[in-house]
Amino acid sequence: METIKNYFFADMSVMLGRSMRHVLRSMDTIITVTIMPIAMMLLFVYVLGGAIQSGTDNYVDYLLPGILLIAIANSVGYVSYRLFNDVQRGIFERFNSMPIARSAAIWGHIMTSLVSNLISLTVIIIVALIMGFRSPAGILSWLAVAGILALFTLALAWIAAIAGLSAKSVDGATAIAYPIHFLPLISSAFVPTATMPGPVRAFAENQPVTSIVETIRALLSNQPVGNEIWVALAWCIGIILVAYIIAMRVYKKQA
């Protein structure tokens, strides 16, 4: 059993390296996942921030959690796109004919999403600090934020895996990204939900991004998180479990 585990992690690390090279060579990916969220943060803070009543003196402190989630959401289409390409090129069939762990190929893509998003989120936080973001949070709170962001990344990556493995065209593979992009926009990421019309407010307050944003915001401001953290964790873990089961079933049919 220990030998099998060692082989799996070794094979997955090779697949991770392969997929990360594709990411680092793709300027489009870097622009969409890192530069666009930074541009959006600059726009909202320096152009629109003065007109938005967020209830805080420093709007970048309020805005940052939502920008981090948008950066993760922007990466979804690339996960499904890379998986779709591997399916169409018969890469999985080639890997399965070799003495490597069968699931290592798909896990390589999932871990690539986790690692690449960690890099992009770090860059975004550094830019936010330059813009005036400040947090009284301690190391445990920051670790909790990192954990929640990792769970959110995994949840979206496994959803993207379903699309990438089952799509019949490139457009079909990347289409999953469009509805996900709207979730941070219709949430408390940019403005308090209390300012929204009734039906929009009801949706915003009962979708996963709002609970995740509110949890991260409370952790970074060193405020009590209340029940929001449990709601956020339930959303993330529930999505991961369901999406993982579906994705692996589709993968086994493809591979």
Side-chain angles (χ1 to χ4, degrees):
M1 181 64 70
E2 191 67 30
T3 301
I4 293 174
K5 289 181 180 179
N6 290 339
Y7 277 128
F8 170 77
F9 286 111
D11 294 340
M12 185 181 68
S13 66
V14 172
M15 298 302 162
L16 169 62
R18 166 184 174 267
S19 191
M20 280 299 299
R21 285 192 292 272
H22 291 168
V23 172
L24 296 175
R25 292 170 183 169
S26 172
M27 184 55 64
D28 180 63
T29 304
I30 296 171
I31 291 173
T32 303
V33 179
T34 305
I35 298 178
M36 287 301 294
I38 290 174
M40 184 176 292
M41 184 165 59
L42 291 168
L43 172 66
F44 271 87
V45 171
Y46 294 124
V47 179
L48 304 176
I52 297 176
Q53 300 299 319
S54 63
T56 59
D57 295 330
N58 194 8
Y59 183 56
V60 69
D61 291 350
Y62 184 92
L63 181 67
L64 181 60
I67 294 296
L68 297 177
L69 296 193
I70 284 177
I72 296 172
N74 284 357
S75 71
V76 169
Y78 295 101
V79 178
S80 55
Y81 174 74
R82 289 191 295 270
L83 276 165
F84 174 79
N85 279 344
D86 278 359
V87 171
Q88 295 302 306
R89 295 172 181 172
I91 299 296
F92 291 140
E93 286 83 354
R94 296 179 194 175
F95 287 151
N96 289 333
S97 67
M98 301 166 66
I100 64 174
R102 186 174 183 182
S103 60
I106 187 171
W107 271 105
H109 285 284
I110 299 299
M111 295 308 296
T112 295
S113 178
L114 201 60
V115 173
S116 60
N117 274 300
L118 172 63
I119 296 171
S120 66
L121 296 181
T122 301
V123 173
I124 291 169
I125 291 173
I126 291 172
V127 174
L129 288 169
I130 295 172
M131 295 172 61
F133 168 73
R134 295 295 181 268
S135 171
I139 183 64
L140 292 179
S141 294
W142 275 102
L143 289 174
V145 169
I148 292 171
L149 291 172
L151 288 175
F152 184 68
T153 301
L154 289 173
L156 296 193
W158 281 112
I159 292 175
I162 298 172
L165 292 168
S166 58
K168 304 301 181 184
S169 66
V170 173
D171 291 338
T174 57
I176 188 66
Y178 298 118
I180 291 176
H181 285 166
F182 279 104
L183 290 180
L185 299 177
I186 312 175
S187 71
S188 62
F190 297 98
V191 297
T193 56
T195 64
M196 301 176 183
V200 178
R201 177 180 179 180
F203 175 81
E205 291 179 347
N206 293 282
Q207 58 114 328
V209 169
T210 291
S211 60
I212 297 170
V213 164
E214 293 297 333
T215 299
I216 294 174
R217 190 174 286 143
L219 288 168
L220 292 180
S221 60
N222 205 26
Q223 297 296 318
V225 294
N227 292 327
E228 288 291 350
I229 189 169
W230 303 115
V231 176
L233 290 174
W235 271 114
C236 289
I237 295 172
I239 292 171
I240 289 171
L241 290 175
V242 173
Y244 170 80
I245 292 170
I246 297 173
M248 291 306 293
R249 287 181 177 177
V250 176
Y251 175 65
K252 288 176 181 178
K253 293 178 180 179
Q254 294 281 0

